[in-house]
Amino acid sequence: MASFLPCTIFLISSQLPCYTNAQNINSGRVTLSQSLNAGDHKASSWLSPSGDFAFGFQQVDNDQDLFLLSIWFEKVPDKTVVWYADKNNPVPRGSKVTLTPDAGLLLSDPQGEQLWNSDPIVSQVDFAFMNDTGNIQLQNKNSENIWESFNHPTDTLLPTQTMEKGDSISSRLSGTNFSQGRFQLRLQPNGNLVLTSVNLPTEYTNENYYASATDNLTNPGKQLVFNESGNIVILRQNNQIVTLTEGKLVSSADYYYRATLNFDGVLTEYYHPKTSKGNGNKSWTALWSIPDDICINSFVYKSSGACGFNRICRLNSERRPVCECPRGFTLLDSSDEYRGCKPDFIQDCQPTETPAEKLYMFQEMTGVDWPTSDYEALQPYDEDECKDSCLNDCMCAVAIMRNDTCWKKKLPLSNGKVDNSVGAKAFIKIRKPNAETKTPESSSSSSSKNQDALVIGGSVLLGFSVFINFLLFGAMGMGFLFIYRKKSMKSSQQDKDVSRFNLRCFAFKELIDATGVSRKSLEGVLLALCTRGVEGHCTQIIHCDIKPQNILLDEFYNARISDFGLAKLLMMEQSQTNTAIRGTKGYVAPEWFRNMPITVKVDVYSFGELLLEIICCRRSVDVEMGAEEKAILAYWAYDCYREGTLDALVENDKEVMNDMKNMERFLMVAFWCIQEDPSLRPSMKKVMLMLEGIVQVSVPPSPFLFSSIA
Ligand SMILES: *[C@@H]1O[C@H](CO)[C@@H](O)[C@H](O)[C@H]1NC(C)=O
Ligand SMILES: *[C@@H]1O[C@H](CO)[C@@H](O)[C@H](O)[C@H]1NC(C)=O
Ligand SMILES: *[C@@H]1O[C@H](CO)[C@@H](O)[C@H](O)[C@H]1NC(C)=O
Ligand SMILES: *[C@@H]1O[C@H](CO)[C@@H](O)[C@H](O)[C@H]1NC(C)=O
Ligand SMILES: *[C@@H]1O[C@H](CO)[C@@H](O)[C@H](O)[C@H]1NC(C)=O
Ligand SMILES: *[C@@H]1O[C@H](CO)[C@@H](O)[C@H](O)[C@H]1NC(C)=O
């Protein structure tokens, strides 16, 4: 009876699951031979007394039904993992962890084979304690710690945790793959706290890309301390403090803190409100991070740099790196973007009759450089001489012009970065598509036409066509019908290559033939779009009226945007325009009402609304849904996202329910697209990369910051 009562109260007061057979309620204490089973809903974790942290199995891969033995923030909606046991392998359903006297925590697979244990255990374990600090401690009869997770950190540090000389933490491979990644934070024996990368699978350590400069011989650093208030400091030998944390701390009574070495090599300290009440951010907010600019500061000689080989690193507004392949290059391995990019063409030194200018062309990029891939410098040289030299040199992959010096670079290109401060201009040598050595005359002229077609329609059309391959999307006649189908996304994911950018203009007549529906005149607009080539000035277009009714499907379900009747043309140099309101209610961006300049971002906004409709299978505004919050899809969807009740959005759709991770990612992309502040909205290209899962989607801020409902 006595053991029943607190359990019931606990259930009512906090709505948390009640694990009668797993643990003395909320004591944090685990006795010998207690165990947890991966996938067992009744006994899958041990909670700390406050319930803030849980130790146990967290499902990390729905498709393969894999679980990670880990510690996480139990009350944070996404159950942020702060520690994990086996750095390399999540385990299958039915795996088991048991507290044993001799091996401590013992992880075994469903067949009983031992996978991991909490090494080293020097004396007999008497019990374990899941501390409210997030530390699981194994203690002996005298209540002395003999093993604790804080002494075996993975990629995250928590308040009250310390690092001694020689200690390190390592990044994970990606947001969802917990294998050991390339980056390390280490307190060196000389007292310096450094960030480095290692060349896996070896331990070869590259140059530091950050150092705290606390290796002063007379007074070196001795310990890193993450204190209870959230401050991260280095303690010197004489106890002098060097504070690393920047920015204003929030109260540790109301907020959780963590510092994580992210998979992209940036160490970030974050905070998160403890309760879901109030108006605080319901997600992790970055307080500060090091290094300042990983793209520029991290270059190393025997490795690829922050992004991987043949890549370009660009810093986003959260000071995290965004990695891109140069044009003509694609990812080597789409599941691991840090493996780098490969050229989509063969660059060879075989003798050929064909003049080089028939085979290769240059993609020009301002501010881009690969500082560690030079093999020759020519000076004084002008731009034309530089290009000519690279074109006729079969070793040359890229030429960089800086002042009057021409730097020739070879593959693989490493430490690629965007740095506008140095005034460099890159000429990337790429093979012309379909450039046949044998019959150069005929094919290269037709290929340069294809090249022109590639540019048609600017970012909007490009992004759409690709995206629509992902979501099988139907828009028919006056009404519309949406189908969200996981299978179609999967199959299309496989044909990721440049050929899918196979866009073309339709003559007005073709469109009528294809659809049988008469549309506003497209001809004038599209002719204008089709005129320019790769190195000349291009024309951008703002469609202004992206909505389901304006997206037509061809017989292969490829989406085509129609109805350019409201479109606005922009020259490339022009990035905004002032114009009277255009568009359709429910899809128009707020800047139309605010007397703000109109940019291509209005289409991104409309696309975001459209994406929400596709995900939720309903109209963006539907008064029949009742209360305002529900009638306006964007409000409702964001509420559900914030509250973690996504299933309400896709009620009864079993297929989607099984793939909530992707659904959440698509939603997050949509929220980025409908940001009130146009500058926060991503480009369509970025949207595409996020939808494909190539670029990580960060947690979107509330899209409604300016409006009353925020
Ligand atoms: C939990 O951790 C705190 C901070 O390190 C420590 O003071 C406390 O003794 C720990 N609790 C137990 C029961 O060991
Ligand atoms: C994580 O990445 C490693 C290395 O690429 C791979 O071998 C492993 O299968 C991945 N794990 C999961 C769960 O995807
Ligand atoms: C080392 O640190 C002490 C103070 O902690 C300072 O007085 C001294 O100048 C430093 N030495 C060097 C070489 O930086
Ligand atoms: C944490 O460190 C900061 C800076 O050294 C200090 O002001 C604060 O009092 C410390 N908090 C605790 C709880 O020790
Ligand atoms: C909430 O997040 C926004 C955007 O990330 C940030 O500007 C703001 O300062 C945050 N508010 C708090 C209380 O942390
Ligand atoms: C190179 O050009 C930059 C500006 O473009 C100038 O500041 C710098 O002095 C020049 N360097 C040399 C060596 O001419």
Side-chain angles (χ1 to χ4, degrees):
M1 192 64 210
S3 74
F4 253 90
L5 197 59
C7 173
T8 319
I9 292 168
F10 177 65
L11 254 184
I12 293 168
S13 63
S14 68
Q15 300 290 311
L16 282 168
C18 174
Y19 306 129
T20 37
N21 56 353
Q23 192 184 7
N24 296 336
I25 292 315
N26 254 16
S27 72
R29 211 176 145 106
V30 182
T31 55
L32 284 178
S33 77
Q34 265 186 236
S35 62
L36 298 170
N37 287 295
D40 179 345
H41 290 297
K42 279 196 245 112
S44 63
S45 65
W46 295 324
L47 295 179
S48 73
S50 63
D52 285 342
F53 288 95
F55 170 94
F57 291 102
Q58 184 172 129
Q59 185 154 17
V60 288
D61 188 320
N62 285 324
D63 289 345
Q64 295 180 53
D65 213 18
L66 294 175
F67 297 80
L68 190 69
L69 184 62
S70 52
I71 296 173
W72 62 86
F73 280 101
E74 173 68 14
K75 294 177 182 170
V76 167
D78 71 0
K79 313 256 183 224
T80 314
V81 169
V82 296
W83 178 88
Y84 32 97
D86 189 353
K87 275 189 188 167
N88 292 308
N89 290 304
V91 297
R93 180 181 291 271
S95 300
K96 185 172 175 180
V97 63
T98 312
L99 184 65
T100 67
D102 302 312
L105 294 163
L106 184 66
L107 174 67
S108 51
D109 70 12
Q111 287 73 41
E113 190 141 331
Q114 182 178 334
L115 298 172
W116 173 88
N117 84 307
S118 54
D119 259 346
I121 299 294
V122 288
S123 65
Q124 294 262 308
V125 175
D126 191 47
F127 66 96
F129 180 70
M130 183 63 240
N131 200 308
D132 277 332
T133 55
N135 187 15
I136 189 158
Q137 304 162 307
L138 308 190
Q139 304 194 337
N140 63 15
K141 280 213 160 56
N142 306 325
S143 296
E144 292 159 349
N145 282 339
I146 47 182
W147 187 94
E148 50 190 311
S149 56
F150 269 15
N151 287 344
H152 302 269
T154 50
D155 64 352
T156 296
L157 297 171
L158 293 169
T160 74
Q161 196 163 359
T162 59
M163 269 171 77
E164 314 299 322
K165 284 182 180 179
D167 285 355
S168 64
I169 62 173
S170 291
S171 63
R172 61 180 83 154
L173 201 68
S174 71
T176 52
N177 187 325
F178 292 81
S179 291
Q180 188 178 346
R182 298 190 292 140
F183 300 99
Q184 280 190 359
L185 174 77
R186 180 181 293 278
L187 185 59
Q188 292 181 329
N190 66 9
N192 221 2
L193 182 77
V194 299
L195 285 168
T196 55
S197 59
V198 290
N199 295 346
L200 295 173
T202 70
E203 306 259 294
Y204 184 92
T205 307
N206 295 303
E207 299 92 320
N208 305 330
Y209 59 89
Y210 164 85
S212 61
T214 47
D215 52 348
N216 180 330
L217 279 180
T218 52
N219 191 15
K222 64 169 180 187
Q223 196 184 33
L224 177 137
V225 180
F226 193 163
N227 83 11
E228 280 165 78
S229 330
N231 246 319
I232 301 179
V233 303
I234 297 174
L235 219 53
R236 285 186 186 265
Q237 204 64 56
N238 68 356
N239 290 331
Q240 201 186 334
I241 284 171
V242 179
T243 304
L244 298 179
T245 298
E246 292 161 18
K248 197 169 171 297
L249 290 174
V250 289
S251 149
S252 60
D254 300 329
Y255 289 85
Y256 298 118
Y257 277 102
R258 72 180 161 104
T260 299
L261 178 56
N262 294 296
F263 61 87
D264 53 26
V266 177
L267 178 77
T268 308
E269 184 176 354
Y270 299 91
Y271 58 85
H272 188 293
K274 288 193 174 175
T275 62
S276 54
K277 284 177 242 131
N279 290 325
N281 290 333
K282 305 298 190 305
S283 56
W284 290 102
T285 304
L287 181 63
W288 66 284
S289 60
I290 47 175
D292 280 345
D293 186 339
I294 194 171
C295 295
I296 293 178
N297 296 337
S298 76
F299 76 75
V300 292
Y301 283 91
K302 292 188 187 62
S303 181
S304 63
C307 279
F309 289 110
N310 300 330
R311 300 213 87 188
I312 302 169
C313 182
R314 195 187 292 274
L315 213 63
N316 71 8
S317 58
E318 288 147 12
R319 300 208 291 185
R320 300 279 295 275
V322 177
C323 303
E324 299 166 32
C325 297
R327 180 136 154 251
F329 289 68
T330 45
L331 282 180
L332 204 53
D333 174 356
S334 59
S335 65
D336 178 5
E337 61 165 321
Y338 294 101
R339 300 251 338 257
C341 312
K342 59 170 172 47
D344 292 326
F345 53 89
I346 299 163
Q347 189 194 11
D348 63 34
C349 284
Q350 296 302 319
T352 167
E353 306 263 289
T354 316
E357 59 268 25
K358 292 260 157 78
L359 292 176
Y360 295 101
M361 60 187 187
F362 286 104
Q363 155 88 345
E364 193 178 312
M365 294 186 88
T366 309
V368 170
D369 196 4
W370 287 272
T372 51
S373 305
D374 304 321
Y375 68 92
E376 190 172 50
L378 300 161
Q379 190 205 22
Y381 242 34
D382 67 22
E383 236 175 75
D384 288 338
E385 289 170 317
C386 185
K387 274 161 56 174
D388 201 51
S389 170
C390 183
L391 187 68
N392 291 299
D393 176 349
C394 68
M395 312 274 180
C396 182
V398 169
I400 306 271
M401 223 24 231
R402 220 166 60 212
N403 291 9
D404 60 347
T405 310
C406 171
W407 304 88
K408 291 204 288 184
K409 318 245 171 191
K410 60 187 185 323
L411 297 176
L413 301 161
S414 49
N415 298 294
K417 60 171 182 178
V418 177
D419 181 357
N420 288 315
S421 68
V422 294
K425 200 187 245 183
F427 299 98
I428 303 162
K429 189 168 136 190
I430 49 185
R431 205 176 172 100
K432 292 183 175 175
N434 312 322
E436 292 280 338
T437 329
K438 295 244 167 59
T439 55
E441 259 75 313
S442 57
S443 63
S444 71
S445 61
S446 76
S447 74
S448 69
K449 281 219 188 75
N450 286 346
Q451 216 56 53
D452 288 351
L454 198 72
V455 189
I456 297 164
S459 60
V460 176
L461 206 52
L462 184 80
F464 267 97
S465 176
V466 173
F467 166 66
I468 300 295
N469 281 330
F470 272 75
L471 301 177
L472 187 58
F473 167 84
M476 300 159 76
M478 301 305 289
F480 51 89
L481 159 80
F482 296 127
I483 311 159
Y484 168 92
R485 220 189 274 162
K486 197 170 131 192
K487 284 191 206 87
S488 66
M489 283 184 280
K490 280 218 174 119
S491 63
S492 60
Q493 223 150 3
Q494 277 140 23
D495 48 59
K496 272 184 199 155
D497 65 22
V498 177
S499 67
R500 71 202 165 145
F501 290 95
N502 203 354
L503 300 174
R504 58 171 293 214
C505 290
F506 286 90
F508 183 45
K509 179 157 181 313
E510 277 181 284
L511 256 186
I512 293 178
D513 289 349
T515 63
V517 181
S518 176
R519 293 269 153 188
K520 288 177 198 131
S521 174
L522 295 161
E523 240 163 4
V525 175
L526 290 182
L527 280 178
L529 282 171
C530 292
T531 52
R532 297 312 318 181
V534 186
E535 273 153 2
H537 289 299
C538 185
T539 309
Q540 266 189 314
I541 188 168
I542 304 179
H543 185 284
C544 301
D545 199 14
I546 296 292
K547 58 178 175 179
Q549 293 89 333
N550 283 342
I551 295 174
L552 309 176
L553 293 183
D554 69 13
E555 56 195 315
F556 304 110
Y557 288 94
N558 293 312
R560 310 288 178 191
I561 300 172
S562 74
D563 210 342
F564 284 77
L566 302 181
K568 181 97 183 164
L569 292 181
L570 290 182
M571 295 312 289
M572 206 51 160
E573 312 88 286
Q574 196 186 356
S575 65
Q576 57 185 49
T577 177
N578 287 301
T579 184
I581 188 159
R582 302 154 186 235
T584 304
K585 189 165 153 269
Y587 305 94
V588 288
E591 52 267 33
W592 288 110
F593 308 106
R594 295 218 171 90
N595 198 20
M596 279 161 75
I598 297 308
T599 66
V600 287
K601 296 295 182 68
V602 299
D603 286 340
V604 177
Y605 182 94
S606 307
F607 176 75
E609 290 283 350
L610 187 75
L611 181 55
L612 281 178
E613 293 189 331
I614 295 172
I615 297 168
C616 305
C617 293
R618 52 157 283 196
R619 285 167 188 269
S620 63
V621 181
D622 187 350
V623 285
E624 277 163 29
M625 298 296 285
E628 186 191 28
E629 308 84 63
K630 222 173 162 185
I632 295 173
L633 174 58
Y635 289 165
W636 183 48
Y638 188 71
D639 278 348
C640 291
Y641 167 73
R642 213 173 41 179
E643 247 87 79
T645 54
L646 294 186
D647 39 343
L649 291 173
V650 290
E651 45 185 334
N652 302 329
D653 190 334
K654 283 262 162 51
E655 211 167 352
V656 183
M657 306 271 261
N658 287 331
D659 194 12
M660 291 307 260
K661 275 217 178 108
N662 272 326
M663 142 121 180
E664 184 173 16
R665 186 158 53 87
F666 294 149
L667 271 179
M668 285 161 73
V669 174
F671 296 139
W672 276 112
C673 292
I674 60 168
Q675 289 294 317
E676 294 212 353
D677 178 354
S679 70
L680 289 178
R681 291 174 212 151
S683 66
M684 274 319 287
K685 174 150 187 237
K686 175 95 184 282
V687 169
M688 185 183 92
L689 294 173
M690 291 193 293
L691 289 169
E692 287 182 346
I694 294 173
V695 167
Q696 191 84 0
V697 190
S698 49
V699 173
S702 167
F704 318 110
L705 287 181
F706 302 160
S707 64
S708 55
I709 197 155

